[in-house]
């Protein structure tokens, strides 16, 4: 039964967000519920179990459809490809005790508040549901469920100051507290009994329970007991692991749940301060931040004063961040839209630590609570761990299909069993037992446990290499990775920057370069002042802390930060200003010090930061630093040198990081706090370029070369300058020296909805290209004197054109583009995006949201994408990639599936190697388990023909001594040290694998049937006398047994002892010995070594196990010990027949080994077959590659295209798995 979205019955929850869901309304019906309860009892709980596995069936059976307004039960369905259902009960929250009359609660009169829109009159109740720890209430007017626990987005800056500036009244606070719930990120430690029940109700364990009950009914005690012990061990290990994770998460958040905070309460127009525990906070509360370190228990908007915060929990970088207060702008725009990309500079995030507060004229630092509980940035991070995105991997889908095939196979066996035994007059109960037993033979109960052991061993090997994994099922996925996105700074290059040089500018001309470290110190002047004050550094725990670039720049001046409590600055009143003064080693300066009065913090969207500073006793000045192309745009044209672009490209082309500096003087008498950022950052004077060196890490180049040799694509995704990124990519080996780099530049056309896109070749050291690339780096020409518009490269020499043509024809070209261009392409040139991504290697100036979006776009092309970053700004991309590898051990990296202890990309090939080995091990295990169960199944069905079967100890030996031990030790084989240029197959249902399984089944069937038939043709064979072959041996007591005297006893009726229990026969002995040793042959043949795993002989434990098992089996073949044979239900056969069986096994081994090596593992043969039958990969990117190879017009060099269609909405195309509470507006650049 499916869903038919009818009016009012269906709606969408969290539309456009990462956790978007469909919601359906249902009403419980009494008679349906009564029928279901009767069904639970009649089915002995089986129906209840089915409803537990399928919650949608539970709702459909118990309830009838209705509108969401009337619903008492809702059914939720995810909108992704998995369409996962969940059931939630609607609850009612009563606020009648808090609101005696409408007048008692002034906020109910405010119609724009969700709290007033949710309270139903006259019952004064609120209808709510809780989904993934977030509470939603029913909006009576909008007729939909809406989130509570967050301040509404529609408030303007002035409204936030006016409505919440003096705090909430007690009544408002009480109502909000009841509706929103406590402000806690509560991750309780799950009780062991709950974890146990959840694990035991897994379908696999339910099947095992069924198998065990059946075996006990047939007196097959030993193996049933062994399976119980193994299952309990597996359950306890899983429960222990889950419990440890639960405890770890609980400890991670418990520190934020109970902090004493000071809030401001509005009592009859007067504000008063009140201390309370943080779990009582509600959205709209006014927090008062005191001096000293404070952990933030919620997200809050700073409305007065300034804070310095350590945000390492969110970004992974322990760099203090400056937060400024929300301006009191009087306009109609919502506060977030008014602040645009800079809104985060006013928000204090939950879980971060305030390390310093600076009050303004009011004397207190205040913040309005924005979000509480799981709505906060920290809560969102926790929810991403508690509710991870399900994985879509072919192996897991194929595994289910594989089990379905085995069940179908078992069904045929059941029909055969019923026919054979029923026709021979067997009792109905015995027939049922035997037919059910066929399922437990054909479907191996030990398969999931065997697969899990393989992953556990790989996880342990990774841990030894310093790679930690919180999502073990992703290890197999690492074996399929064929594209890795790398962050640049801190990942490919060293974390810190070294100051290389300073290129000062005077009277619009660049002066001689000043190199570092220099013999002589920098002379006093505007450039020196800019380096001394244009930063956001603080003194924290006795050390200068901040951005590494700022630290290096400031250290070069030899000045110090005087961080005393407050400074009286002339004309500014009492202001907490940071003052910098000359240090002991500083060159003489004509000033006592410089005070930093106001900061406009660095914004990744604006690519710059500014400060207003004042020399002690001097005038106020503005200093700006940032991306050179951005800073130059803000400067007066006459102050920027004419050779600005060529000088910039000269340094960026060598891989240097270049920073532009600028300044201007402010009019006297103006309060620094009254000026807007736009006023401050205009008509600046260009001061020069600061050149920083960012060295490649030692291991970067060899790792990228190894990945390239293995045909794994490397892509750079960075926030740095495009030219610097291209140079680093060339130096690192991502782009080979013979390959061409084509710059893709997209721009919006002013005053219209269309955009343009241009392709330009990056030609090294060509002056005309320097000019042409000014716009490509985001420079909008302000004056023709300074910036020359893009020149066509048609005048390049014929040899260059020919070289470009050859490189392009062979596909040896790389696209480079900025985040701005990527955004415009995704909006206006959606059809070109896949073509650009196919050869896109460098993506520069990318925001966190764009990084996530890029990873998702690569995944849409059927790439298996890995993301490697240092955790700073990469959280979203690390989460959404198939394998996210964080090089940071900060808390932010908990969302990443893999974390490397050593901050080096050497972990990437290591992870791929182990992933490939784990994937191949999984395939080997599947094949072995399929063959083991099929061999046993065929043997049993053959013996059923004679109303015989294997004895208990025969089953026990095969199941426990052979298969269980092999299942545990086969996975010990390590990964092969060399990455080969192809990947293991990604699916079980692949021709080589299926052929391997089918051929080996045929070999086993042929051998068993041959043995079964031929033994009956032997001269010594007798149906009635099982000792006829060895009459002369060992003076046997005659104990003949005819078919009629077998009594058609149960297959595993355990009448133990020295007597004949009805299993002994020549056919039984032959088939059992052949099938047992056949299991060893299959284990050996299927244990693949090279090219993905080390040779099988390196797995000493496995080899010793096989040798030991083979020795025992051969002993059983050739030994003739009465007691042993009697216990194992074997009979004595002539030596010649025993040798014949060994020859049969040797032939089977030779045939199986030959087929596996010469056909199944013969890669050239399969490639030839693919070519002969014209088989092409169905991967989207492969299909696109074939199309582009035929397209001579691609890429269109030096051409400009225009979009004429209306743009796709940014929200739709830039979804990205970013942290919505922390990073929601990154994509509006």
């Amino acid at each position: 039964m499916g869903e038919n979205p009818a009016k009012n019955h269906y709606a969408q929850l969290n539309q456009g967000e990462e956790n978007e869901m469909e919601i359906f309304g249902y009403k419980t019906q009494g008679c349906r519920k009564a029928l279901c309860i009767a069904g639970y009892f009649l089915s002995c709980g089986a129906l209840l179990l089915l409803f537990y596995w399928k919650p949608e069936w539970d709702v459909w059976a118990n309830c009838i459809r209705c509108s969401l307004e009337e619903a008492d039960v809702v059914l939720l369905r995810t909108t992704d490809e998995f369409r996962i259902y969940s059931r939630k009960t609607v609850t009612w929250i009563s606020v009648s005790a808090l609101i005696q009359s409408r007048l008692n609660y002034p906020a109910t009169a405010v119609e724009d508040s969700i709290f007033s829109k949710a309270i139903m009159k006259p019952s004064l109740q609120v209808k709510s549901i809780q989904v993934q720890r977030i509470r939603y209430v029913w909006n009576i007017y909008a007729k939909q469920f809406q989130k509570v626990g967050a301040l509404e987005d529609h408030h303007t800056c002035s409204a936030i100051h006016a409505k919440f500036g003096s705090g909430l009244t007690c009544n408002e606070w009480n109502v909000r507290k009841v509706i929103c719930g406590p402000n806690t990120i509560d991750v309780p430690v799950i009780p062991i009994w709950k974890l146990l029940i959840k694990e035991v109700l897994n379908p696999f364990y339910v099947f095992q329970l069924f198998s065990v009950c059946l075996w006990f009914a047939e007196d097959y005690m030993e193996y049933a007991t062994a399976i119980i012990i193994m299952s309990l061990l597996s359950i306890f290990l899983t429960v222990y692991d889950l419990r440890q994770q639960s405890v770890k998460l609980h400890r991670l958040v418990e520190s934020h749940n109970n902090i004493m905070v000071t809030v401001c309460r509005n009592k009859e127009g007067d504000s008063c301060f009140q201390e309370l525990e943080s779990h009582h906070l509600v959205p709209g509360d006014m927090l008062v931040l005191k001096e000293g370190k404070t952990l933030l228990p919620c997200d809050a908007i700073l409305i007065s004063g300034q804070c310095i915060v350590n945000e390492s929990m969110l970004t992974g970088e322990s760099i203090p961040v400056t937060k400024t207060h929300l301006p009191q702008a009087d306009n109609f725009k919502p506060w977030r839209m008014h602040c645009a990309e800079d809104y985060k500079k006013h928000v204090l995030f939950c879980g971060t630590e305030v390390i310093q507060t600076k009050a303004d004229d009011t004397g207190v630092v205040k913040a309005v609570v924005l979000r509480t509980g799981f709505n906060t940035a920290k809560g969102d991070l926790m929810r991403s761990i508690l509710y991870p995105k399900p994985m879509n991997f072919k192996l897991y889908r194929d595994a289910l299909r594989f089990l379905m095939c085995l069940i179908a196979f078992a069904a045929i066996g059941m029909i055969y069993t019923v026919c054979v035994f029923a026709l021979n007059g067997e009792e109905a109960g015995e027939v049922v037992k035997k037919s059910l037993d066929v399922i437990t033979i054909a479907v191996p109960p030990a398969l999931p446990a065997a697969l899990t052991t393989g992953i556990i061993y790989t996880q342990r090997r990774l841990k030894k290499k310093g790679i930690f994994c919180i999502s073990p099922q992703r290890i197999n996925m690492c074996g399929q990775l064929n594209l890795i996105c790398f962050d640049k700074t801190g990942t490919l290059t060293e974390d810190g920057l070294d100051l290389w040089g300073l290129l000062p500018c005077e009277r619009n001309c660049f002066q001689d370069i000043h190199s570092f470290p220099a013999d002589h110190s920098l002379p006093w002047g505007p450039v020196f002042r800019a380096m001394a004050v244009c930063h956001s550094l603080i003194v924290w725990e006795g050390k200068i802390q901040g951005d590494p670039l700022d630290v290096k720049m400031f250290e070069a001046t030899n000045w110090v930060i005087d961080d005393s409590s407050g400074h009286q600055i002339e004309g500014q009143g009492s202001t907490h200003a940071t003052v910098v003064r000359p240090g002991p080693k500083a060159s003489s300066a004509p000033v006592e010090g410089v005070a930093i009065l106001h900061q406009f913090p660095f914004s990744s969207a604006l690519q710059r930061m500014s400060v207003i500073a004042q020399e002690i006793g001097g005038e106020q000045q503005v200093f700006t630093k940032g991306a050179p192309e951005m800073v130059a745009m803000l400067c007066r044209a006459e102050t920027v040198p004419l050779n600005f672009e060529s000088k910039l490209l000269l340094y960026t082309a060598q891989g240097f990081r270049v920073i532009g500096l600028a300044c201007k003087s402010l009019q006297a008498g103006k309060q620094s706090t009254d000026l807007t950022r736009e006023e401050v950052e205009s008509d600046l004077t260009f001061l020069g370029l600061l050149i920083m060196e960012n060295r490649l890490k030692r291991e970067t180049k060899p790792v990228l070369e190894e990945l390239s040799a293995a045909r794994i694509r490397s892509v750079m995704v960075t926030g740095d300058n495009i030219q610097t990124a291209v140079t680093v990519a060339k130096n690192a080996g991502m782009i080979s020296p013979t390959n061409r780099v084509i710059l893709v530049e997209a721009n919006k056309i002013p005053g219209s909805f269309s955009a343009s896109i241009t392709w330009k070749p990056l030609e090294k050291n060509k002056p005309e290209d320097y000019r042409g690339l000014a716009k490509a780096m985001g420079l909008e020409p302000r004056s023709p004197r300074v910036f020359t518009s893009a020149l066509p490269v048609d005048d390049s020499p014929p040899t260059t054109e020919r070289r470009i043509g050859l490189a392009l024809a062979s596909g040896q070209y790389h696209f480079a583009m900025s985040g701005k261009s990527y955004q415009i392409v995704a909006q206006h040139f959606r059809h070109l995006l896949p073509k650009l991504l196919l050869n896109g290697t460098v993506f520069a100036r990318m925001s966190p949201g764009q990084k996530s979006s890029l990873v998702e776009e690569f995944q849409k092309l059927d790439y298996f994408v890995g993301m490697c970053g240092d955790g700073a700004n990469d959280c979203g991309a690390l989460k959404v990639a198939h394998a996210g590898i964080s090089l940071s051990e900060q808390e932010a990296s908990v969302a990443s599936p893999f974390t490397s202890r050593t901050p080096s990309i050497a972990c990437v090939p290591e992870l791929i190697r182990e992933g490939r080995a784990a994937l191949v091990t999984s395939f080997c295990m599947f094949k072995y388990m399929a063959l083991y169960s099929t061999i046993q199944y065929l043997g049993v069905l053959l013996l059923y023909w004679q109303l015989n079967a294997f004895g208990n100890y025969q089953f026990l030996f095969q199941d426990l001594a052979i298969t269980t031990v092999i299942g545990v030790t086969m996975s010990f084989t390590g990964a092969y040290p060399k990455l080969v240029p192809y990947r293991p197959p990604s699916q079980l249902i692949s021709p080589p694998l299926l052929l391997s399984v089918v051929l080996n089944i045929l070999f086993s069937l042929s051998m068993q049937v041959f043995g079964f038939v031929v033994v009956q043709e032997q001269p010594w064979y007798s149906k009635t006398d099982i000792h006829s072959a060895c009459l002369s041996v060992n003076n046997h007591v005659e104990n003949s047994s005819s078919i009629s005297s077998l009594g058609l006893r149960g297959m595993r009726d355990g009448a133990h002892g020295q007597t004949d229990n009805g299993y002994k026969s020549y056919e039984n002995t032959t088939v059992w010995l052949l099938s047992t040793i056949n299991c060893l042959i299959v284990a050996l043949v299927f244990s693949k070594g090279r090219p993905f795993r080390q040779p099988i002989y390196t797995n000493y434990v496995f080899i010793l196990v096989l040798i030991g098992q083979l020795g025992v089996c051969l002993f059983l073949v050739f030994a003739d010990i009465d007691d042993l044979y009697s216990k194992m239900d074997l009979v004595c056969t002539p030596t010649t027949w025993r040798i014949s069986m060994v020859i049969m096994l040797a032939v089977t081994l030779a045939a199986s080994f030959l087929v596996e090596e010469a056909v199944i593992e013969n890669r050239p043969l399969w490639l030839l077959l693919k070519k002969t039958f014209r088989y092409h990969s169905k991967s989207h990117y492969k299909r696109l590659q074939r199309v582009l190879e035929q397209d001579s017009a691609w890429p269109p060099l030096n051409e400009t295209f225009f979009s004429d269609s209306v743009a796709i909405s940014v929200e739709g195309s830039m979804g990205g798995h970013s942290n919505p509470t922390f990073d929601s507006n990154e994509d509006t650049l």
Side-chain angles (χ1 to χ4, degrees), residues 962-973:
I962 302 286
T963 303
T964 306
V965 180
I966 284 174
V968 169
T969 56
M970 192 189 259
S971 308
F972 283 158
T973 313

Side-chain angles (χ1 to χ4, degrees), residues 488 652 716 718 720-730 842 844:
K488 182 180 79 71
T652 54
M716 187 192 291
T718 177
D720 210 340
N721 172 291
I722 198 161
Q723 186 68 46
T724 305
V726 167
T727 309
V728 169
K730 284 181 173 176
V842 174

Side-chain angles (χ1 to χ4, degrees), residues 723-740:
Q723 186 68 46
T724 305
V726 167
T727 309
V728 169
K730 284 181 173 176
N731 293 344
M734 263 187 195
I735 298 170
S736 90
T738 55
N739 291 1
R740 306 290 307 148

Side-chain angles (χ1 to χ4, degrees), residues 205 234 238 446-459 925 971:
Y205 288 118
S234 173
T238 310
L447 176 62
L451 288 174
T452 309
T453 55
I455 295 294
I456 288 168
Y457 295 146
T458 308
Q459 208 174 344
M925 200 59 76
S971 308

Side-chain angles (χ1 to χ4, degrees), residues 962-1213:
I962 302 286
T963 303
T964 306
V965 180
I966 284 174
V968 169
T969 56
M970 192 189 259
S971 308
F972 283 158
T973 313
Y976 194 61
K978 187 179 184 297
L979 278 176
V980 291
Y982 52 91
R983 298 172 295 156
S986 63
Q987 51 194 51
L988 273 170
I989 319 295
S990 63
L993 204 138
L994 285 176
L995 185 66
S996 171
V997 170
V998 169
L999 286 175
N1000 277 285
I1001 286 173
L1002 289 175
F1003 294 152
S1004 298
L1005 180 64
S1006 306
M1007 181 178 66
Q1008 289 192 37
V1009 170
F1010 183 76
F1012 184 80
V1013 172
V1014 172
V1015 76
Q1016 295 175 13
E1017 303 300 318
Q1018 298 304 309
W1020 41 263
Y1021 173 79
S1022 166
K1023 268 189 179 185
T1024 55
D1025 183 5
I1026 56 169
H1027 299 299
S1028 59
C1030 300
L1031 283 174
S1032 57
V1033 184
N1034 289 347
N1035 191 21
H1036 277 298
V1037 178
E1038 286 294 320
N1039 190 0
S1040 60
S1041 173
S1042 66
I1043 290 296
S1044 57
S1045 71
L1046 286 177
L1048 302 176
R1049 270 190 282 276
M1051 181 159 97
R1052 293 169 178 165
D1053 293 345
H1056 305 308
Q1058 298 294 325
T1059 58
D1060 172 20
N1061 60 7
Y1063 295 129
K1064 293 179 183 175
S1065 70
Y1066 292 117
E1067 290 90 346
N1068 173 297
T1069 301
T1070 302
V1071 169
W1072 185 79
L1073 288 169
L1074 289 176
S1075 63
T1076 305
I1077 299 174
N1078 196 6
C1079 288
L1080 301 181
I1081 290 170
V1082 165
L1084 181 68
V1085 169
F1086 285 169
S1087 293
K1088 282 184 195 171
R1090 279 185 282 243
F1092 304 113
R1093 302 201 307 168
Q1094 287 182 351
I1096 193 64
Y1097 55 77
T1098 59
N1099 187 348
Y1100 309 118
V1101 179
F1102 181 63
I1103 292 296
L1104 286 171
V1105 161
L1106 278 185
I1107 291 168
Q1109 289 173 334
L1110 183 64
V1112 172
C1113 289
L1114 289 174
F1115 177 74
L1116 286 172
V1117 171
F1118 290 102
D1120 190 13
I1121 303 163
D1122 274 355
D1123 289 348
L1124 179 66
Y1125 267 36
S1126 181
K1127 199 82 173 163
M1128 294 301 297
D1129 295 314
L1130 298 174
V1131 295
C1132 176
T1133 54
T1135 308
T1136 50
W1137 180 244
R1138 301 179 197 203
I1139 292 165
S1140 303
M1141 283 195 287
V1142 173
I1143 292 166
M1144 280 185 241
L1145 288 161
V1147 169
T1148 306
L1149 171 63
S1152 189
F1153 194 79
L1154 192 70
V1155 163
E1156 201 70 20
E1157 290 301 312
V1159 180
I1160 310 302
E1161 294 298 308
N1162 188 342
R1163 186 172 160 78
L1165 174 68
W1166 288 102
L1167 291 174
L1168 182 69
L1169 286 170
K1170 277 184 179 181
K1171 202 173 179 182
T1172 309
F1173 292 103
R1174 293 184 179 177
Y1175 171 82
H1176 294 298
S1177 169
K1178 292 185 177 70
S1179 295
H1180 194 157
Y1181 75 93
K1182 288 275 190 189
R1183 290 206 304 266
L1184 198 56
Q1185 268 172 352
R1186 291 194 293 274
V1187 171
L1188 292 183
E1189 278 166 15
Q1190 310 302 316
D1191 188 355
S1192 57
W1194 181 265
L1197 280 182
N1198 303 311
E1199 287 185 36
T1200 302
F1201 294 172
F1202 295 89
S1203 70
D1204 49 4
S1205 57
V1206 178
I1208 299 162
S1209 77
V1210 173
E1211 289 75 25
S1213 59

